[in-house]
């Protein structure tokens, strides 16, 4: 049986309600009980109405709530901290003659249920407090109204006052409402005391009251007590099964929840919704998809919540075909006008990469359908998720022009768009917008702003934002730590990690990826090995492929290629293509053909259509003047239909993104760009720069090789920045691939020749060029 312990803090009236052998139907039994407690016809009519509303509220599907950190104490009214409970509103008494509320001293006036339902709590209490004797009907209206309106503390206070008055014993609906208040506050201790009182006094627990007890334990996170209470129930319905299944899912017990679902003899639409959404929340998307197919084959009717959940699942798994099928069923069911379903449709198409379909739904969105703010936010986030940052920012601008107030979630997405595209000026504008709108800088938003400044090459502003953050969670610490790593500040990243540990912040998997990456970029081999061991022994983090790849990169950058290869074999990660790509990249830097062949052979077996592997090996052959091998490899690429990703570089000037490819002549100022570049090359040669002809992957004359190197995309972007900005202005250039050795060398000399700081963000890290030196110290 269920043991409910703990001392009671309530002065419950000692009543004995013995269970009946043949109880009437719940509704008839409820009305009979309420009628016996009411004293006037008005009370009776009111209580019947309140009973129906309370029963409907208790039969609604359970929702998860956050447990409170401290249990609620139920003091007597003299020490109650809910001031509205003791205050009689003057406005209501002043209006009494006009509203016909005047009465004789002995006249009973029922508490208006609309007051509690419409959340006019003070008005309801005013009417209640003016009554000389308050019946159970009146207390039920107020306490149930508090539970429905989310005023759980007020509901608990009113219950304490009812007990202290002692005039009316709590009935089933009062107790159900109080249990709901306990659920809302996460106050499992008070809920246990109420449950214990019910058991000690032999109160007949019908399904409604039993489900209220179950719901209280489930929402308070006490899964074991919820399951014991469920097993002790004499009669269960679909609601009971749904509550206990939801409790298991909330507790992370996926296997237990599935077993309960399979055992349930009554599986309605809500039951299927509960198990599918719960599996999704617990990271079991494949199992959730299987249950969705079972639900469809069983012929269970889908409601709007089912469609929203299923669409979220399709988006989570990027199953566009499934999403389209669901869209068709939504149209057939005439549910597209439902705001909940429509927003789920839009989100699904965004996550599946079909932005055109998402835009069509957005264009049909009506102000009468639902929250326009959510629709705009979904579109901005969708563009960011699909790598279309410029469109995301333009959508964000249009949103503001149309007078739609941006919430923190939308602002976070806009900042992320600026971060990914390297739009520092636009990022500053969004940062200013946050302050202008008066939003608080919560940890997710601050973390994104720190990431934005770091990715735009402005590490100083990122540090300043981190320092002024009011609260710092593990995500913010990790964001700052990864910023140091991407800028090659390995020692500072380790120092920040030590500060984080001193602040009692436990690192997670991503934090350790940042630390290992910082060690890799900083050639801190022994430190990297220490942290790789520490993450397993001290923090119990099982290494993922990201951690393993950081270690391969650590050894590869340091020239320890044998150690990198042995690490791959020892940890049984030969099937992961990313580690061979990392090793092959290190082989090119250190000109190690033996390990390069090993890595390339493994890569071609694992990913026959990956262009990067072919290109890196081809460049290795070209570096060693093995033109025949280079030609064979490129022929193999053509046979297999493998296409190299074109290198692109871009620069932001005056809110415009200027993009270049190698040998680009499409820019309106191409002639000026090439003229500037020709002059720069002559000046660089005077300073000691020489072209790296060995990097040209074609067997051509030396002059042609020099021409091929001269007009790389990053050099074109740099030349455009020089002719478009005043002398001495820092330049920030972005590239989608790793910067080549020749461009790296050339930009070092350009920083001295033009007396500028030049920041280049490539695929792997940042390079800060100043006075012919780079922050990476020629190690990247």
């Amino acid at each position: 049986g269920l043991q409910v312990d703990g001392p009671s803090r309530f002065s419950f009236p000692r009543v004995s309600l013995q269970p009946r052998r043949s109880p009437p139907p719940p509704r008839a039994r409820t009305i009979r009980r309420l009628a016996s407690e009411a004293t006037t016809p008005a009370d009776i009519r009111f209580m019947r109405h309140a009973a129906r509303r309370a029963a409907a509220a208790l039969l609604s599907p359970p929702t998860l709530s956050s447990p409170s950190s401290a249990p609620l104490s139920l003091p007597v009214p003299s020490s109650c901290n809910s001031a509205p409970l003791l205050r009689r509103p003057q406005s209501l008494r002043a209006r009494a003659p006009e509203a016909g509320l005047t009465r004789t001293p002995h006249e009973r006036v029922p508490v208006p249920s609309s007051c509690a339902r419409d959340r006019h709590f003070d008005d309801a209490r005013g009417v209640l407090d003016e009554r000389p004797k308050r019946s159970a009907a009146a207390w039920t209206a107020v306490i149930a109204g508090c539970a429905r309106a989310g005023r759980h503390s007020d509901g608990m206070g009113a219950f304490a006052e009812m007990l202290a008055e002692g005039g009316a014993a709590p009935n089933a609906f009062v107790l159900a409402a109080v249990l709901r208040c306990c659920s809302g506050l996460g106050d499992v201790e008070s809920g246990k005391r109420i449950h214990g009182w019910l058991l000690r006094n032999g109160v007949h627990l019908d399904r409604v009251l039993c489900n209220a007890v179950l719901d209280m334990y489930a929402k308070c996170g006490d899964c074991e007590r919820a399951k014991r209470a469920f097993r002790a129930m004499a009669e269960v319905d679909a609601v009971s099964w749904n509550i206990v299944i939801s409790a298991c899912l909330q507790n992370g017990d996926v296997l237990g929840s599935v077993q309960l679902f399979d055992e349930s003899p009554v599986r309605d639409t809500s039951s299927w919704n509960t198990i599918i959404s719960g599996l999704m929340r617990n990271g079991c998307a494949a199992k959730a998809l299987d249950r969705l197919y079972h639900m469809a084959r069983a012929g269970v009717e889908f409601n709007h919540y089912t469609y929203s959940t299923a669409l979220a699942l399709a988006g989570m798994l990027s199953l566009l075909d499934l999403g389209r099928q669901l869209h068709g069923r939504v149209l057939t069911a005439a549910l597209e006008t439902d705001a909940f379903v429509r927003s789920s449709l839009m989100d699904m198409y965004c996550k599946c990469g079909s932005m055109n379909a998402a835009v069509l739904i957005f264009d049909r969105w009506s102000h009468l359908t639902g929250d326009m703010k959510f629709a705009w936010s979904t579109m901005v986030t969708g563009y960011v998720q699909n790598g279309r940052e410029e469109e995301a920012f333009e959508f964000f601008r249009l949103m503001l022009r149309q007078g739609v107030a941006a919430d923190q979630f939308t602002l976070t997405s806009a900042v992320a768009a600026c971060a990914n595209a390297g739009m520092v000026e636009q990022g500053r504008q969004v940062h200013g917008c946050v302050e202008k709108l008066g939003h608080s800088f919560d940890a997710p938003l601050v973390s994104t702003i720190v990431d934005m400044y770091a990715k735009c090459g402005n590490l100083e502003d990122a540090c300043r934002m981190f320092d002024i953050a009011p609260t710092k969670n593990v995500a913010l610490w990790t964001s700052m730590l990864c910023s140091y790593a991407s800028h090659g500040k390995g020692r500072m990243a380790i120092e920040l990690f030590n500060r984080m540990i001193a602040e009692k912040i436990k690192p997670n998997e991503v934090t350790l990826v940042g630390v290992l990456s910082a060690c890799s970029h900083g050639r801190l081999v022994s430190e990297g090995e220490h942290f790789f061991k520490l993450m397993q022994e001290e923090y119990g983090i099982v290494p993922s492929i990201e951690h393993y790849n950081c270690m391969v990169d650590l050894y590869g950058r340091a020239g320890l290629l044998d150690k990198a290869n042995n690490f791959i074999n020892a940890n049984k990660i030969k099937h992961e293509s990313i580690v061979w790509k990392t090793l092959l990249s290190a082989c090119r830097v250190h000109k190690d053909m033996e390990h390069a062949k090993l890595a390339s052979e493994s890569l071609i077996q694992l990913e026959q259509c990956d262009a990067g592997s072919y290109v890196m090996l081809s460049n290795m052959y070209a570096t060693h003047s093995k033109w025949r091998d280079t030609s064979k490899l490129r022929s193999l690429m053509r046979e297999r239909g493998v296409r190299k990703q074109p290198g692109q570089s871009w620069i932001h000037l005056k809110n415009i993104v200027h993009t270049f490819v190698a040998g680009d002549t499409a820019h309106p100022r191409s002639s000026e760009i090439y003229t500037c570049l020709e002059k720069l090359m002559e000046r660089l040669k005077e300073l000691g720069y020489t072209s790296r002809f060995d990097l040209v992957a074609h067997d051509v004359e030396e002059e042609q090789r020099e021409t091929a190197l001269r007009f790389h995309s990053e050099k074109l972007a740099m030349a455009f920045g020089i002719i478009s900005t005043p002398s001495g202005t820092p330049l920030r250039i972005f590239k989608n691939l790793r910067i080549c050795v020749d461009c790296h060398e050339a930009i070092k000399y350009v920083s001295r020749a033009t007396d500028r700081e030049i920041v280049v963000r490539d695929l792997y890290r940042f390079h800060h060029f100043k006075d012919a030196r780079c922050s990476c110290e020629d190690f990247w």
Side-chain angles (χ1 to χ4, degrees), residues 211-232:
N211 287 342
V213 172
L214 279 182
D215 193 46
M216 180 272 298
Y217 283 129
K219 290 180 179 177
C220 291
D222 197 336
C223 181
E224 288 304 316
R225 286 185 180 276
K227 288 193 287 188
R228 291 206 301 269
F230 174 75
R231 287 193 292 266

Coordinates of all heavy atoms in Angstrom, one line a residue, residues 211-232:
N211 N -7.3 10.8 -9.6 CA -6.5 11.4 -10.7 C -5.9 12.7 -10.2 O -4.8 13.0 -10.7 CB -7.4 11.6 -11.9 CG -7.8 10.3 -12.6 OD1 -7.1 9.3 -12.4 ND2 -8.8 10.3 -13.4
A212 N -6.5 13.4 -9.4 CA -5.9 14.7 -8.8 C -4.7 14.3 -8.0 O -3.7 15.0 -8.1 CB -7.0 15.4 -8.0
V213 N -4.8 13.2 -7.2 CA -3.6 12.8 -6.4 C -2.5 12.4 -7.3 O -1.3 12.8 -7.2 CB -4.0 11.7 -5.5 CG1 -2.8 11.1 -4.8 CG2 -5.0 12.2 -4.4
L214 N -2.8 11.6 -8.3 CA -1.8 11.1 -9.3 C -1.2 12.3 -10.0 O 0.1 12.4 -10.2 CB -2.5 10.2 -10.4 CG -2.8 8.8 -10.1 CD1 -3.4 8.1 -11.3 CD2 -1.5 8.1 -9.7
D215 N -2.0 13.2 -10.4 CA -1.5 14.4 -11.2 C -0.5 15.2 -10.3 O 0.5 15.7 -10.8 CB -2.6 15.3 -11.6 CG -2.2 16.3 -12.7 OD1 -1.5 16.0 -13.6 OD2 -2.6 17.5 -12.5
M216 N -0.9 15.3 -9.0 CA 0.0 16.1 -8.1 C 1.4 15.4 -8.0 O 2.4 16.1 -8.1 CB -0.7 16.2 -6.7 CG 0.1 16.9 -5.7 SD 1.3 15.9 -4.7 CE 0.2 14.7 -3.9
Y217 N 1.4 14.1 -7.8 CA 2.7 13.4 -7.7 C 3.5 13.5 -9.0 O 4.7 13.7 -8.9 CB 2.5 12.0 -7.3 CG 2.1 11.8 -5.8 CD1 1.0 11.0 -5.4 CD2 2.9 12.3 -4.8 CE1 0.7 10.8 -4.1 CE2 2.6 12.2 -3.5 CZ 1.5 11.4 -3.1 OH 1.2 11.2 -1.8
A218 N 2.8 13.4 -10.1 CA 3.5 13.4 -11.4 C 4.1 14.8 -11.6 O 5.3 14.9 -12.0 CB 2.5 13.1 -12.5
K219 N 3.3 15.9 -11.4 CA 3.8 17.2 -11.7 C 4.9 17.6 -10.6 O 5.7 18.5 -10.9 CB 2.7 18.2 -11.7 CG 1.8 18.1 -12.9 CD 0.7 19.0 -12.9 CE -0.2 18.9 -14.1 NZ -1.4 19.8 -14.1
C220 N 4.9 17.0 -9.5 CA 5.9 17.3 -8.5 C 7.1 16.5 -8.7 O 8.1 16.6 -7.9 CB 5.3 17.2 -7.1 SG 4.1 18.4 -6.6
G221 N 7.1 15.6 -9.7 CA 8.3 14.8 -10.0 C 8.5 13.6 -9.1 O 9.6 13.0 -9.2
D222 N 7.5 13.2 -8.4 CA 7.6 12.0 -7.5 C 7.0 10.8 -8.3 O 5.9 10.4 -8.0 CB 6.9 12.2 -6.2 CG 7.3 11.2 -5.1 OD1 7.8 10.1 -5.5 OD2 7.2 11.5 -3.9
C223 N 7.8 10.3 -9.2 CA 7.3 9.2 -10.1 C 6.9 8.0 -9.3 O 5.9 7.3 -9.6 CB 8.3 8.9 -11.2 SG 7.8 7.7 -12.3
E224 N 7.7 7.6 -8.3 CA 7.5 6.3 -7.6 C 6.2 6.4 -6.8 O 5.4 5.4 -6.8 CB 8.7 6.1 -6.6 CG 9.9 5.6 -7.3 CD 9.7 4.4 -8.2 OE1 9.0 3.5 -7.8 OE2 10.2 4.4 -9.4
R225 N 5.9 7.5 -6.1 CA 4.6 7.6 -5.4 C 3.5 7.6 -6.4 O 2.4 7.1 -6.1 CB 4.6 8.9 -4.5 CG 5.5 8.8 -3.3 CD 5.4 10.0 -2.4 NE 6.2 9.8 -1.2 CZ 5.9 9.2 -0.1 NH1 4.7 8.6 0.0 NH2 6.7 9.1 0.9
A226 N 3.7 8.3 -7.5 CA 2.6 8.3 -8.5 C 2.3 6.9 -9.0 O 1.1 6.5 -9.1 CB 3.0 9.1 -9.7
K227 N 3.3 6.0 -9.2 CA 3.0 4.7 -9.6 C 2.4 3.8 -8.5 O 1.5 3.0 -8.8 CB 4.4 4.0 -10.1 CG 4.8 4.6 -11.4 CD 6.0 3.7 -12.0 CE 7.3 3.9 -11.3 NZ 8.4 3.2 -12.0
R228 N 2.8 4.1 -7.2 CA 2.2 3.3 -6.1 C 0.7 3.7 -6.0 O -0.1 2.9 -5.7 CB 3.0 3.5 -4.9 CG 4.4 2.9 -4.9 CD 4.9 2.6 -3.5 NE 5.0 3.8 -2.6 CZ 6.0 4.5 -2.5 NH1 7.1 4.3 -3.2 NH2 6.0 5.6 -1.7
A229 N 0.5 5.0 -6.1 CA -0.9 5.5 -6.0 C -1.8 4.9 -7.1 O -2.9 4.6 -6.9 CB -1.0 7.0 -6.0
F230 N -1.2 4.8 -8.3 CA -1.9 4.3 -9.5 C -2.2 2.8 -9.2 O -3.4 2.4 -9.5 CB -1.0 4.4 -10.7 CG -1.6 3.8 -11.9 CD1 -2.6 4.3 -12.6 CD2 -1.0 2.6 -12.4 CE1 -3.2 3.7 -13.7 CE2 -1.6 2.0 -13.5 CZ -2.6 2.6 -14.2
R231 N -1.3 2.0 -8.7 CA -1.5 0.6 -8.5 C -2.6 0.4 -7.4 O -3.2 -0.6 -7.3 CB -0.2 -0.1 -8.1 CG 0.7 -0.3 -9.3 CD 1.8 -1.3 -9.0 NE 2.7 -0.7 -8.0 CZ 3.9 -0.1 -8.3 NH1 4.2 0.1 -9.6 NH2 4.7 0.4 -7.4
A232 N -2.7 1.4 -6.5 CA -3.7 1.3 -5.3 C -5.1 1.6 -5.8 O -6.0 1.4 -5.0 CB -3.2 2.1 -4.2

